[in-house]
C-alpha cells in the first residue's frame, strides 16, 4: 500500500506488463503478507510450523463464530471494527467476479494495526531465524528467514555465527550481502524478512539446514530444555515419562522425548497409574491428559538446537 492507502498493484492501466516484486516493494509504504496454511489434519505438521514460525499479526480461521458478526459496509464501519477487534468479527461481502467489496477489503487490511512490536527488540542481540536455504551461482550459500531481534550491517567484515550443525557447533563466517523483497540492502533490523549471503566453502554449505539461527555473538546449543506446558487436546493420548512429541519452537521443529514431568498448580486432570504395586507406580510417574499443566524436561531426539528462555513452543503427537 502507498502512504495514502491506495494499493500498489502488479498491473495498472499504463503498464500492461506485470511489475517485478522489487518495484512493487519500492513503491510501497506498507506491505501486507498473506500466508495460506492447510486446514486438513493430514497437513497438521505444515500448519503448526507456519503458525509457530510465521510471526503473523492476525489469523483468519473458518469456525463457529462466538463473537458478534459485524457487517462492514463503509469506511466508518472499518473504524468501528479496528477499535473493537476483541469483541467484533468483521464481515465483508466480496466478489472476485464483479469486484464488489474488494476496495473495502483492501481498506480494512491497510487499517489493521500491527500487533507485534518487533522494533522494541532492536536493542537485543542479533537473532536471525533461518527458514530456507539456497545455493545461488556466483553468490554461494544464501539463507532466507526472519530477523527476530537486533540489527546487522552486512559486509566483508560482518562476522556472524551460523548453526547449530548436527554436532551442536556453530560456523563462523561473514554475512557479505543482504536482500529485502529482492532489494539489495546493507542493513537489516528486527521485524524484517530478509535473505543473507554468506562466505562459506562447499563443505560448510552442505551443513546449512532449516531451523538454524544466525547470531553476532557466539551462541550455545542444547539437547535438553524445560518447558511449562498446557495440554489443550489429545483424545486417546496420555503424556508420561518417555512420551515422544513433535515440537515446534519458532523455526525449530524436531521430535523430542519427555524425560521428566513436574506438576503445576496441582491440576486435577493429572492422574496416576492404578492397579499396580507402589514400585511400579513410582517408576511410571504422572500421566497428563487434556487440561493438564506441568513442567516437562524435553530431550531432542536427533541433534542439539538453539533454544533460549522465553521462546514459545507448540507440540503434537510425533
Amino acid at each position: 500500500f502507498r502512504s495514502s492507502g491506495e494499493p500498489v498493484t502488479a498491473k495498472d492501466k499504463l503498464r500492461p506488463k506485470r511489475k517485478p516484486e522489487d518495484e512493487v516493494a519500492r513503491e510501497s509504504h506498507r506491505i501486507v503478507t498473506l500466508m495460506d496454511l492447510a486446514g486438513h489434519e493430514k497437513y497438521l505438521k505444515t500448519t503448526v510450523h507456519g503458525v509457530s514460525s510465521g510471526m503473523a499479526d492476525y489469523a483468519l480461521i473458518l469456525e463457529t463464530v462466538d463473537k458478534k458478526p459485524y457487517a462492514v459496509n463503509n469506511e466508518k464501519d472499518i473504524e468501528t471494527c479496528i477499535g473493537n477487534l476483541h469483541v467484533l468479527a468483521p464481515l465483508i461481502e466480496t466478489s472476485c467476479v464483479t469486484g464488489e467489496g474488494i476496495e473495502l477489503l483492501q481498506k480494512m487490511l491497510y487499517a489493521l494495526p500491527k500487533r507485534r512490536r518487533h522494533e522494541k527488540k532492536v536493542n537485543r542481540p542479533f537473532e536471525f531465524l533461518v527458514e530456507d536455504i539456497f545455493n545461488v551461482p556466483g553468490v554461494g550459500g544464501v539463507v532466507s528467514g526472519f530477523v527476530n531481534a537486533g540489527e546487522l550491517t552486512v559486509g566483508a567484515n560482518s562476522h556472524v555465527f551460523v548453526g547449530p550443525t548436527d554436532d551442536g557447533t556453530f560456523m563462523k563466517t561473514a554475512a557479505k550481502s543482504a536482500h529485502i523483497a529482492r532489494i539489495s540492502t546493507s542493513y537489516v533490523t528486527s521485524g524484517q524478512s530478509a535473505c543473507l549471503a554468506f562466505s562459506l566453502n562447499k563443505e560448510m554449505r552442505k551443513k546449512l539446514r532449516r531451523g538454524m539461527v544466525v547470531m553476532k555473538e557466539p551462541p550455545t546449543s542444547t539437547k535438553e530444555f524445560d518447558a511449562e506446558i498446557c495440554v489443550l487436546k489429545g483424545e486417546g493420548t496420555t503424556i508420561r515419562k518417555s512420551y515422544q512429541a513433535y515440537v515446534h519452537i519458532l523455526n525449530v521443529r524436531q521430535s523430542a522425548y519427555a524425560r521428566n514431568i513436574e506438576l503445576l498448580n496441582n491440576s486435577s486432570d493429572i492422574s496416576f497409574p492404578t492397579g499396580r504395586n507402589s514400585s511400579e507406580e513410582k517408576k511410571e510417574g504422572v500421566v497428563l491428559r487434556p487440561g493438564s499443566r506441568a513442567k516437562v524436561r524435553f530431550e531432542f531426539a536427533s541433534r542439539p538446537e538453539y533454544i533460549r528462555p522465553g521462546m514459545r513452543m507448540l507440540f503434537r503427537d510425533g
Side-chain angles (χ1 to χ4, degrees), residues 120-159:
K120 293 183 179 180
K121 301 186 291 183
V122 70
N123 293 323
R124 283 171 38 183
F126 179 73
E127 181 180 287
F128 181 89
L129 309 177
V130 176
E131 284 293 328
D132 211 344
I133 58 174
F134 309 93
N135 187 16
V136 181
V139 177
V142 175
V143 299
S144 65
F146 185 79
V147 185
N148 192 41
E151 54 189 356
L152 177 71
T153 301
V154 298
N157 296 321
S158 179
H159 298 292

Side-chain angles (χ1 to χ4, degrees), residues 252-297:
V252 172
R253 49 180 176 176
Q254 189 185 154
S255 292
Y257 296 96
R259 296 307 187 193
N260 186 55
I261 300 177
E262 298 178 13
L263 310 185
L264 291 178
N265 301 330
N266 296 322
S267 174
S268 59
D269 295 314
I270 301 176
S271 60
F272 293 83
T274 57
R276 302 177 184 181
N277 58 46
S278 59
S279 61
E280 288 179 332
E281 288 183 354
K282 186 175 181 180
K283 183 178 179 181
E284 192 72 23
V286 296
V287 176
L288 306 180
R289 293 190 173 90
S292 304
R293 297 182 64 88
K295 180 179 179 180
V296 181
R297 170 157 293 185

